[in-house]
Amino acid sequence: MGFASIGKSTALREYAERYSPTLGKLYIADTEEDRIEAEKAGWNFVNVNEIKLNLGCGNDIRRGYVNVDCREINGIDLCYDMGKHSIPFEDETVSEILLKDSLEHLSCVS
């Protein structure tokens, strides 16, 4: 399925139907047109040049952030256990990290 042939927002909606119904729909791009199309389709848009992470978000789902939690909570964008794995973003690609009520759940491993 190509975005150009059926329109980006329609393609996003159709693609989203294949995802788990509880996970959020995340679209990372960099143009205003992409933001508009993602929002029309009901997706959370994150600017690739200003990636913001909401780590251990729980039910505090924020638009414009990649919402990450170790539990598959309705609306999160990425189900990921930070206690077992490194954050899946390359160095110097994230502009902001929000870590609210989460640090105490992580253990230090040397």
Side-chain angles (χ1 to χ4, degrees):
M1 158 183 10
F3 283 165
S5 61
I6 62 173
K8 230 179 248 185
S9 60
T10 301
L12 289 173
R13 280 193 299 274
E14 290 176 4
Y15 188 70
E17 291 171 2
R18 298 182 202 156
Y19 274 82
S20 163
T22 58
L23 293 180
K25 312 308 185 228
L26 178 66
Y27 191 75
I28 300 176
D30 65 348
T31 68
E32 182 64 13
E33 176 184 293
D34 285 335
R35 184 192 63 75
I36 291 168
E37 291 298 326
E39 289 178 359
K40 274 191 219 174
W43 284 54
N44 180 18
F45 176 82
V46 173
N47 187 321
V48 72
N49 299 308
E50 297 178 13
I51 293 177
K52 298 185 288 186
L53 302 179
N54 183 12
L55 301 180
C57 64
N59 291 315
D60 183 20
I61 306 300
R62 295 180 183 225
R63 302 291 279 170
Y65 285 76
V66 179
N67 297 286
V68 181
D69 202 278
C70 66
R71 299 164 294 157
E72 193 170 309
I73 297 169
N74 191 23
I76 68 165
D77 300 307
L78 181 59
C79 186
Y80 198 80
D81 189 343
M82 296 178 303
K84 294 181 181 176
H85 307 285
S86 300
I87 298 170
F89 291 89
E90 293 182 25
D91 290 349
E92 300 183 27
T93 59
V94 175
S95 65
E96 181 180 327
I97 297 175
L98 177 61
L99 187 64
K100 179 179 162 191
D101 298 329
S102 297
L103 193 57
E104 67 273 16
H105 298 286
L106 301 177
S107 61
C108 294
V109 179
S110 53

